[in-house]
Amino acid sequence: MKKRRPTPFDRFASRYPLTDRVTLYFDSRAGALGAVFTGLSMPLVGFVGRKLGMDSTMLTILGETPYVALLFNIWFGRLAEEGDKAAWVFWPSVIARGLVALVAFVVSPVPFLMVMGAYNILASISGPAYSGIMKANYSNRWRGEIMGNIRIMIQLIAGILSTFAGWFMEVHQGGYRILFPIAAAFGVANSIVFRRIKVREPGHGHRGHDDGSPSPDSRPARPAGLERPTGSSGSGQGLVSRVRFGLLETLATVGRDAPFLAFLVISFFMGIPDKFVIPLEPIRFVDELHMDYATAGLIQGTIPYAAALLGYAICARISNRVSPFVLLIAVGFLSSTRYLGTALATNSLHLIPGTFLNGLANAGWDLLPLFTILLLAGPSSLSLYMGVYNFLIGVRGILGPLVGTWMYQGLRLPIVDVYWLAFATEIVGTLALLVFTMKLRRGSGAPEGRTGGNP
């Protein structure tokens, strides 16, 4: 029998353990399909909404919908831990992306808000389950590099397509009715391919060796209390009972975990400035800076995707050598430039420097919370700790746009002043993380005693 010639994928993935290569095969293909979905639709959602006539209140509601489901992520995290993680990723995602096809029939703001709001809610459900799959299926040694490389590919594809989408919508003013359904088809295909990943069970994993072979978990011990309770595992009532019990255990354990609590508070303040400006950014861009579709595709799509591509490359290369807490400090300072640049801008081109630096930061915001929580969680379930973290993302995602709208409509602050307040809040939160990191390094047995994005 003639020997099969190695493919480019075979040569690229040959450095990784077999278990990582199997997951990477499907994860990379799903990522490419998802990148088409993202590039053709997501960067221009707020812009399309404003062009359709959405006011600041409707933009606030749309901006908050991704975070509604995150309020229940503690519960979703426990359900995913007890059940089928792959199903918890597949079903919310495939339904959400299928709904985006309905934009083909949308010509007014309210239906657009309903469709994209439903998408945002459903798409946010699968976060804890996805994090659990990434932890279970990729070895600690290579997780950061593999996830970073896949995201580099995603940014490249999405960045190119976002430029095309902006140009297409500028030429065809109703072009979103064509592009969004096409994007939906690729999004559904992404979910189908990702569903083929077989989730590895605890005990079959690979915990730290370069070759992916098992090794003892070397993370520092944390407070106990997340062990699964015993009960009738075969019944739905038993599952509900275990979920309820597990939620109480999770909250009790987090309450005893002082470093994690401190990190949650700091990350809350670092993340909320982005939420202040969600309902105000389309107004700033469309009404004040007079941005058109083509420029929006460049500023909101191509430039941040290109910058994130570089950011993922950096994270993939240094995530095992530099503490994720140190990297997250850098991310905070980079993020602040977006608010500074938007406050100072007098035309759309002035947004480019801040947009690029914030794009670098976006890669860190995607990967580094997972890596920091991997260190802070100890032997506890990552899905549960990520559920708590995502719950607070939901809280600030609901609270932030309301505060931003209140400052704009209630206090009558100019949008520029809201951006200045967002800049100041980001800087204060980042300085707090710097102090937190220094204290962790001085403390005995702190997770910061280890370096790298993957424990």
Side-chain angles (χ1 to χ4, degrees), residues 35-116:
V36 178
F37 167 76
T38 299
L40 291 180
S41 58
M42 294 299 105
L44 297 174
V45 168
F47 200 83
V48 171
R50 183 61 177 171
K51 289 286 190 178
L52 286 174
M54 294 175 67
D55 57 21
S56 60
T57 300
M58 297 177 72
L59 289 168
T60 298
I61 296 171
L62 179 62
E64 289 184 337
T65 52
Y67 306 100
V68 171
L70 295 182
L71 294 174
F72 302 96
N73 259 208
I74 300 176
W75 186 49
F76 292 142
R78 169 58 66 174
L79 289 172
E81 191 67 21
E82 294 281 349
D84 184 349
K85 291 185 180 68
W88 276 98
V89 172
F90 175 76
W91 286 111
S93 299
V94 77
I95 295 172
R97 290 158 179 174
L99 286 175
V100 173
L102 297 178
V103 173
F105 307 102
V106 168
V107 293
S108 60
V110 173
F112 186 77
L113 172 61
M114 294 175 63
V115 171
M116 296 312 302

Side-chain angles (χ1 to χ4, degrees), residues 274-344:
D274 176 64
K275 311 305 178 287
F276 290 160
V277 302
I278 284 175
L280 306 181
E281 192 157 82
I283 300 174
R284 173 74 169 142
F285 288 176
V286 175
D287 296 18
E288 297 182 1
L289 298 180
H290 309 294
M291 188 181 293
D292 57 27
Y293 271 118
T295 306
L298 177 69
I299 298 293
Q300 297 188 274
T302 302
I303 291 176
Y305 282 134
L309 188 153
L310 178 59
Y312 283 120
I314 294 171
C315 282
R317 299 300 178 267
I318 67 176
S319 62
N320 283 307
R321 297 191 294 273
V322 179
S323 162
F325 293 98
V326 173
L327 293 176
L328 197 56
I329 292 169
V331 161
F333 286 121
L334 288 173
S335 294
S336 69
T337 62
R338 169 192 174 192
Y339 314 116
L340 178 64
T342 307
L344 294 173

Side-chain angles (χ1 to χ4, degrees), residues 111-448:
F112 186 77
L113 172 61
M114 294 175 63
V115 171
M116 296 312 302
Y119 162 80
N120 286 337
I121 292 172
L122 288 168
S124 301
I125 289 176
S126 58
Y130 172 81
S131 298
I133 293 174
M134 293 298 98
K135 180 188 178 185
N137 278 45
Y138 286 130
S139 61
N140 296 329
R141 169 65 180 87
W142 299 109
R143 184 185 298 112
E145 178 176 320
I146 291 173
M147 292 179 68
N149 285 334
I150 290 176
R151 280 156 176 76
I152 289 171
M153 173 194 66
I154 291 172
Q155 301 305 305
L156 180 61
I157 296 172
I160 293 171
L161 289 177
S162 65
T163 299
F164 167 77
W167 168 82
F168 184 83
M169 291 186 195
E170 185 66 24
V171 175
H172 306 280
Q173 292 298 308
Y176 66 91
R177 299 175 64 192
I178 299 172
L179 292 185
F180 277 55
I182 294 174
F186 281 92
V188 170
N190 159 273
S191 299
I192 293 172
V193 173
F194 192 84
R195 185 68 172 89
R196 298 181 65 185
I197 295 175
K198 183 178 180 181
V199 183
R200 296 177 61 82
E201 296 297 329
H204 296 166
H206 22 263
R207 297 287 183 267
H209 291 303
D210 288 353
D211 62 357
S213 59
S215 68
D217 193 326
S218 58
R219 286 171 291 181
R222 309 295 292 164
L226 283 179
E227 297 83 0
R228 292 186 184 179
T230 57
S232 57
S233 59
S235 67
Q237 183 177 359
L239 174 59
V240 172
S241 176
R242 293 199 309 278
V243 168
R244 186 183 300 114
F245 184 79
L247 287 174
L248 296 176
E249 289 280 321
T250 301
L251 294 174
T253 300
V254 169
R256 296 192 298 268
D257 195 337
F260 184 56
L261 281 176
F263 177 76
L264 288 176
V265 172
I266 292 169
S267 63
F268 185 90
F269 281 97
M270 289 180 68
I272 202 167
D274 176 64
K275 311 305 178 287
F276 290 160
V277 302
I278 284 175
L280 306 181
E281 192 157 82
I283 300 174
R284 173 74 169 142
F285 288 176
V286 175
D287 296 18
E288 297 182 1
L289 298 180
H290 309 294
M291 188 181 293
D292 57 27
Y293 271 118
T295 306
L298 177 69
I299 298 293
Q300 297 188 274
T302 302
I303 291 176
Y305 282 134
L309 188 153
L310 178 59
Y312 283 120
I314 294 171
C315 282
R317 299 300 178 267
I318 67 176
S319 62
N320 283 307
R321 297 191 294 273
V322 179
S323 162
F325 293 98
V326 173
L327 293 176
L328 197 56
I329 292 169
V331 161
F333 286 121
L334 288 173
S335 294
S336 69
T337 62
R338 169 192 174 192
Y339 314 116
L340 178 64
T342 307
L344 294 173
T346 57
N347 64 65
S348 298
L349 296 181
H350 293 163
L351 300 171
I352 291 177
T355 298
F356 181 82
L357 294 175
N358 184 67
L360 287 175
N362 285 341
W365 279 119
D366 184 19
L367 294 177
L368 294 174
L370 172 63
F371 296 162
T372 53
I373 292 172
L374 274 167
L375 294 178
L376 291 169
S380 304
S381 168
L382 175 65
S383 292
L384 300 180
Y385 267 68
M386 285 302 296
V388 175
Y389 175 80
N390 288 337
F391 169 78
L392 288 181
I393 294 179
V395 171
R396 68 183 184 238
I398 297 295
L399 181 63
L402 292 175
V403 173
T405 301
W406 171 71
M407 288 190 286
Y408 174 59
Q409 291 185 336
L411 298 181
R412 302 293 182 182
L413 290 179
I415 294 178
V416 167
D417 290 352
V418 178
Y419 271 93
W420 279 115
L421 289 171
F423 172 72
T425 304
E426 186 71 45
I427 292 295
V428 170
T430 303
L431 292 175
L433 181 61
L434 175 62
V435 173
F436 172 79
T437 302
M438 294 171 64
K439 288 186 176 181
L440 276 181
R441 285 187 162 179
R442 288 197 297 265
S444 59
E448 191 56 14

